[in-house]
Amino acid sequence: MSILFQMFYTVKRMIMNPKAILINLLTYAIIILILGSVFGSTYDIQRSLGKVTIAYANLDSGRYGAIFDAVLHSNDVTQLAELKPVKSLDDGKVLIKKDKADAIIYIPDNFSDDRDLPHVVNVYLSTDYGVPTLVVKNIVSSLTNLMNTSSVIYNITGQTEVDAMGSEPQKNNEENVKEQSLTSSSSNSSSQATTAMGYYSIAMILMLLLYGQEYGIFMAAEDYLGTLGKRMRLSAVKPYVQYIGKGLGLSLVTFFQGVILLLLTKYVYGVDWGNHIIVVLLTLFILSILVTLLGMMLVIITRSIQKAQSLSNFITLGGTFIVGGFVIVDFGSLAYLSPSYYAKTALFNVVYGNQVEQALINIGVMILICVGFVLVSLVASRRTAE
């Protein structure tokens, strides 16, 4: 009995009862609609608790560079932002890509040269949407105004008075701003802004896939436990053919459910899945394989379908929670324990960051985890057979 036959038979068997699958898909579609609608207005506030993080590169050694440093480190700014100095624009962009900074402010080395006008403060934002972005824009707006005023004072008195200017608006400074041509330009490093509907679409699709562990559990219970399991081991079917064929079949069933939900969110809810849909689908497929192998491994290790199901439910709910699937929180390194962590990171990298290479790295990590599950299952199944 070939691997393809096992795979085909498994898929056919699972879709013989489409009612359960449709109810499951409808349930998740409703959950996405509710969460996306309810948290739409508060989404950014939840993401932006605490100070915003601003990376800055000041390459100018002239008077404007000194004014910039003085203004940026004034109390008015440091109360709102955590500052991270970097040596170059590229270093700052790396921090943004790694979600370690909300923006980078870049001052070129010729900033103080009056022959190179206008003087431009370059601001690169991680997203053009949300409270962190509004805070950064306000800081930069105040920064350029203060720098204009400070430059006027510098030309008159030869001193840089920053703290004295930060306490009240400079209503009479508009002409000076125009004369100095200090402006703010922004460049968005992300392909698009994250929305509440988009965020929860990813979170709930991943949770739906996590429940694919159930398929692996029932398959492994059928093939390794009880009387039927003993008969299967005595049959002519080679164990690896059965394992690979059924595993791929169950993974396809899980994967297709995720694809259906993805299409629903795209065409019904208007969620933008970015420009690299192949990478998105590859991520969902590898995660489908991962969760199926995980479910099989739980049964083979525990030798009990009840224990495996209990562990699976804990992993699904707990794993979804610690990656921010229900409430947008940051659990730091603890999130690595979730089976969906690398899939979520890959999807956000490719959908909202346009970072295909980073997504592929996370997909590679998931493949290594799959290999680990297979090895553990092989060792545990030999122990069970003995």
Side-chain angles (χ1 to χ4, degrees):
M1 198 178 295
S2 67
I3 291 176
L4 290 178
F5 181 84
Q6 285 278 3
M7 185 171 62
F8 174 78
Y9 172 78
T10 302
V11 172
K12 180 180 178 181
R13 180 182 173 187
M14 295 303 299
I15 63 176
M16 288 296 290
N17 182 21
K19 183 178 179 180
I21 294 177
L22 292 176
I23 292 175
N24 203 26
L25 289 172
L26 181 61
T27 300
Y28 278 95
I30 293 174
I31 292 174
I32 292 172
L33 178 62
I34 293 174
L35 292 176
S37 301
V38 170
F39 292 109
S41 60
T42 59
Y43 173 67
D44 292 308
I45 296 176
Q46 293 182 44
R47 292 181 66 240
S48 56
L49 296 176
K51 295 182 178 181
V52 298
T53 303
I54 298 178
Y56 69 94
N58 182 8
L59 305 185
D60 183 69
S61 58
R63 68 177 187 274
Y64 284 122
I67 292 172
F68 169 82
D69 273 336
V71 172
L72 191 63
H73 290 87
S74 64
N75 291 333
D76 291 339
V77 174
T78 55
Q79 286 177 359
L80 297 174
E82 177 185 350
L83 304 175
K84 288 186 176 181
V86 292
K87 295 181 179 180
S88 66
L89 179 61
D90 290 337
D91 289 344
K93 288 183 177 180
V94 169
L95 292 181
I96 289 179
K97 289 180 180 180
K98 293 182 178 180
D99 293 327
K100 294 182 178 180
D102 296 300
I104 175 174
I105 301 176
Y106 174 68
I107 303 294
D109 56 2
N110 60 345
F111 191 73
S112 293
D113 191 347
D114 290 334
R115 292 174 298 179
D116 295 320
L117 295 175
H119 298 300
V120 178
V121 177
N122 294 284
V123 182
Y124 296 81
L125 301 169
S126 62
T127 175
D128 58 2
Y129 180 87
V131 174
T133 298
L134 291 176
V135 173
V136 172
K137 287 183 177 179
N138 285 332
I139 288 175
V140 173
S141 177
S142 300
L143 179 68
T144 54
N145 286 333
L146 288 173
M147 288 177 70
N148 276 286
T149 306
S150 183
S151 67
V152 172
I153 294 176
Y154 179 88
N155 290 331
I156 295 173
T157 67
Q159 297 179 353
T160 304
E161 301 289 344
V162 175
D163 293 336
M165 296 183 298
S167 59
E168 61 182 61
Q170 301 296 319
K171 296 181 180 179
N172 300 322
N173 198 45
E174 294 182 1
E175 293 183 0
N176 291 331
V177 173
K178 292 178 182 178
E179 291 174 2
Q180 293 294 329
S181 300
L182 277 171
T183 59
S184 168
S185 69
S186 65
S187 173
N188 191 351
S189 65
S190 297
S191 59
Q192 59 167 305
T194 311
T195 64
M197 193 67 74
Y199 182 92
Y200 284 110
S201 293
I202 291 178
M204 290 301 104
I205 288 176
L206 295 182
M207 186 175 179
L208 169 66
L209 296 185
L210 280 180
Y211 272 111
Q213 294 174 77
E214 293 288 328
Y215 294 151
I217 288 172
F218 283 112
M219 190 213 88
E222 183 179 83
D223 291 353
Y224 290 94
L225 302 179
T227 304
L228 182 59
K230 293 180 180 179
R231 291 178 179 176
M232 290 292 293
R233 287 194 293 272
L234 294 174
S235 68
V237 181
K238 295 181 179 179
Y240 75 89
V241 172
Q242 177 184 329
Y243 182 87
I244 297 175
K246 286 191 173 183
L248 286 176
L250 295 172
S251 300
L252 284 175
V253 175
T254 301
F255 169 68
F256 285 136
Q257 292 182 57
V259 172
I260 292 171
L261 194 54
L262 182 150
L263 293 174
L264 187 148
T265 60
K266 178 178 176 65
Y267 293 107
V268 178
Y269 298 158
V271 175
D272 189 348
W273 286 91
N275 303 319
H276 304 283
I277 193 64
I278 299 299
V279 181
V280 171
L281 295 178
L282 178 62
T283 302
L284 298 183
F285 181 62
I286 298 301
L287 180 62
S288 299
I289 295 176
L290 187 152
V291 297
T292 301
L293 295 175
L294 175 58
M296 296 166 64
M297 185 183 72
L298 291 176
V299 170
I300 295 173
I301 290 176
T302 62
R303 306 185 192 183
S304 168
I305 188 171
Q306 290 80 14
K307 291 180 180 179
Q309 285 179 317
S310 297
L311 286 172
S312 173
N313 289 331
F314 176 78
I315 291 171
T316 299
L317 295 175
T320 301
F321 179 72
I322 63 177
V323 295
F326 301 118
V327 180
I328 303 170
V329 290
D330 183 8
F331 284 93
S333 300
L334 185 63
Y336 295 162
L337 299 177
S338 172
S340 62
Y341 170 79
Y342 293 101
K344 178 187 175 183
T345 304
L347 290 177
F348 273 92
N349 280 334
V350 73
V351 175
Y352 296 110
N354 204 30
Q355 302 171 34
V356 176
E357 291 183 4
Q358 291 295 321
L360 293 177
I361 290 173
N362 283 282
I363 291 173
V365 173
M366 288 195 293
I367 293 174
L368 292 177
I369 293 173
C370 289
V371 173
F373 287 166
V374 171
L375 294 177
V376 172
S377 296
L378 288 175
V379 174
S381 63
R382 289 183 178 180
R383 184 196 64 184
T384 301
E386 293 173 0

